[in-house]
Amino acid sequence: MRRLKLHWQILIGIGLACIAGTLTGTDAGLFGVTYYQAYDFIGTLFLNALKMITVPLIMAAIITGIAGIGGEAGLGRLGVKTVLYYMLTSILAILVGLALVNAIAPGIVDGEPAGPRLGLAENTEAALQGVEGRGAGDIAEVFLRMVPPNIIAAAAEGQMLGLIFFSLLFGYFMTRIQPDYAGSLKRIWQGIFETMMKITLWVMRFAPIGVFGLVAKTVSTTGFAAFVPLLSFFVTVLLALAIHTFVILPLLLRLVGRVDPWLHFRAMSPALLMAFSTASSSATLPLTLECVQENARVSNRISSFILPLGATVNMDGAALYECVAAMFIAQAYGMELSFGLQFTVVLLALLTSIGVAGIPAASLVAILVILGAIGLPIEAIGLILVTDRILDMCRTAVNVFSDSCGAVIIAKTEGETAVLSKEFAETRG
Ligand code: ASP
């Protein structure tokens, strides 16, 4: 019997989790153990496994990738293209969000600001505490995190930016030492990289079960009823994310990358479902790398440069969400939506999305920064907490998808012909 493809397995895991989570809720159990605890255990175990492989995988991927780029010119060119791509797609995402939130106006009901009807979430205080320590959103902070005083501590705390910067330096200077040392080092890192990719593949075999645990846990706590009052906000975000994912990015793939977007969706489907289930770009990174290299056929040289960096700094979904959420709250509070206010929101959404970490709920910190800047009380964030987790799952998938599109587009502009080639698609069926 042919084994079901990974993305189908994950999808089934998600479907079963929705059913199980709704049926059991948080309190039902067997022999004194609640189902919720079981979901939590499975999900955490799987997330731990993903986090376990991240540090060595990312280091090895970047070091071997940079060492293979060859010289300053190659690195400079790739760097410029990458930054341009990150900026362009984030701005496009924010503008889509801004257009929709103005058109639909989810914060205004029957011509009145919706604030009083929605009421603030009672547990705002507790939620705000949960948000603390998720990484600040301002730019100076980003640079400070980029150069960590202690690389081991940065790795231990999952500060990816510092780790990425160190690995970039290491890969670059590794090629500038005596050739025999450089050669041995290259072989060692290449070996580590291959080994880590094998471990990743093995961990992924458990993805459907892990995903089941993660999603069932979310569904059993959140339920679906809580969404009703926020439905139009929810729909606005989903619609904007969908336009960015199914119109804007495919257009870029088609026009700039000259590839079939559908093939790319297929190549990335396991990573997208994983991003959806974990709500963390960083935890998804091993699978993103795997899909971009093995399925989309982008070289390690390019993918290992763009993807780890993208997982922390390029967040289209988060940027879009921040803009829509801040505007929604401003609408609900009856603020005048002047050009200045909208411009501030757009600019801050762009800048803070760079600083947002690739972990669940990280955007909430950035939204706090924006609310403060436009003169709203930070408690106002209570309005959107109920829907945050599900929207987080969706925006994380968009974050990951945009990174992967960047890898494909840049690889094509660098002359990689194997990327998403038709022949390759046919052999994979
Ligand atoms: N959870 C998102 C990610 O990891 C970040 C966010 O928007 O909260 O990509």
Side-chain angles (χ1 to χ4, degrees):
M1 203 183 78
R2 254 181 82 194
R3 263 185 78 195
L4 216 53
K5 286 218 162 96
L6 184 63
H7 59 267
W8 288 118
Q9 295 183 25
I10 297 179
L11 213 56
I12 293 173
I14 294 177
L16 290 178
C18 289
I19 301 173
T22 315
L23 289 181
T24 61
T26 44
D27 301 330
L30 259 187
F31 311 121
V33 180
T34 61
Y35 290 111
Y36 175 83
Q37 285 168 325
Y39 305 148
D40 190 29
F41 175 76
I42 300 172
T44 309
L45 196 62
F46 182 61
L47 268 187
N48 282 358
L50 285 176
K51 290 182 187 157
M52 173 182 83
I53 51 185
T54 303
V55 170
L57 174 65
I58 296 317
M59 279 194 77
I62 297 181
I63 291 173
T64 52
I66 293 298
I69 283 179
E72 279 157 43
L75 193 60
R77 198 179 57 236
L78 212 56
V80 169
K81 283 185 189 175
T82 307
V83 171
L84 279 180
Y85 174 85
Y86 288 168
M87 296 296 257
L88 175 74
T89 53
S90 298
I91 292 176
L92 288 174
I94 296 173
L95 293 181
V96 171
L98 188 69
L100 283 196
V101 78
N102 275 308
I104 301 179
I108 298 178
V109 178
D110 301 332
E112 298 280 325
R117 295 188 193 207
L118 293 169
L120 288 175
E122 281 155 19
N123 56 355
T124 306
E125 267 308 308
L128 284 176
Q129 275 167 14
V131 165
E132 272 169 24
R134 293 202 170 251
D138 76 68
I139 284 291
E141 184 71 19
V142 173
F143 283 108
L144 285 180
R145 267 190 280 143
M146 208 184 235
V147 188
N150 181 339
I151 184 71
I152 309 283
E157 288 159 13
Q159 289 286 10
M160 295 314 276
L161 220 46
L163 203 65
I164 291 171
F165 184 65
F166 176 79
S167 309
L168 287 173
L169 288 181
F170 196 97
Y172 180 74
F173 285 104
M174 193 172 92
T175 55
R176 285 180 165 45
I177 56 175
Q178 274 185 36
D180 53 336
Y181 293 149
S184 326
L185 269 182
K186 253 189 188 168
R187 271 197 303 283
I188 290 177
W189 281 106
Q190 194 66 39
I192 297 178
F193 178 63
E194 304 282 331
T195 313
M196 291 315 301
M197 286 298 261
K198 286 257 184 295
I199 300 182
T200 306
L201 266 183
W202 179 74
V203 170
M204 285 314 148
R205 299 235 296 261
F206 301 95
I209 307 174
V211 160
F212 171 84
L214 291 168
V215 177
K217 182 180 159 199
T218 307
V219 173
S220 66
T221 26
T222 320
F224 293 106
F227 292 91
V228 178
L230 283 165
L231 207 59
S232 75
F233 167 66
F234 194 70
V235 170
T236 309
V237 176
L238 284 191
L239 212 59
L241 288 175
I243 293 178
H244 190 64
T245 311
F246 298 111
V247 180
I248 309 269
L249 291 175
L251 271 178
L252 288 177
L253 280 172
R254 170 81 72 201
L255 298 179
V256 189
R258 308 214 166 272
V259 292
D260 179 351
W262 173 239
L263 288 183
H264 187 53
F265 274 113
R266 265 189 26 199
M268 292 309 299
S269 50
L272 299 184
L273 290 170
M274 182 64 67
F276 179 80
S277 311
T278 57
S280 164
S281 313
S282 294
T284 312
L285 189 52
L287 190 58
T288 316
L289 262 173
E290 158 85 26
C291 288
V292 168
Q293 293 193 6
E294 299 299 317
N295 299 354
R297 291 287 175 191
V298 175
S299 66
N300 177 38
R301 173 179 101 89
I302 301 222
S303 51
S304 64
F305 181 72
I306 294 172
L307 296 176
L309 213 56
T312 18
V313 302
N314 181 44
M315 302 219 170
D316 293 7
L320 181 157
Y321 179 71
E322 288 171 28
C323 172
V324 176
M327 289 290 296
F328 164 69
I329 295 172
Q331 287 172 347
Y333 270 70
M335 281 184 87
E336 194 208 332
L337 306 173
S338 63
F339 177 77
L341 178 125
Q342 306 212 17
F343 184 75
T344 312
V345 171
V346 168
L347 195 68
L348 286 178
L350 179 68
L351 295 180
T352 53
S353 73
I354 299 174
V356 162
I359 53 175
S363 282
L364 292 181
V365 195
I367 295 174
L368 290 184
V369 173
I370 301 180
L371 291 182
I374 60 174
L376 280 170
I378 52 170
E379 293 75 34
I381 202 163
L383 281 181
I384 56 164
L385 289 178
V386 183
T387 50
D388 190 66
R389 178 64 188 203
I390 306 273
L391 291 176
D392 195 3
M393 296 159 85
C394 302
R395 68 183 183 249
T396 307
V398 179
N399 292 342
V400 168
F401 187 61
S402 168
D403 297 340
S404 74
C405 291
V408 162
I409 291 173
I410 292 172
K412 286 289 280 191
T413 65
E414 289 280 302
E416 293 191 6
T417 49
V419 176
L420 292 171
S421 62
K422 287 267 186 309
E423 304 77 50
F424 176 64
E426 272 152 25
T427 60
R428 292 182 62 84

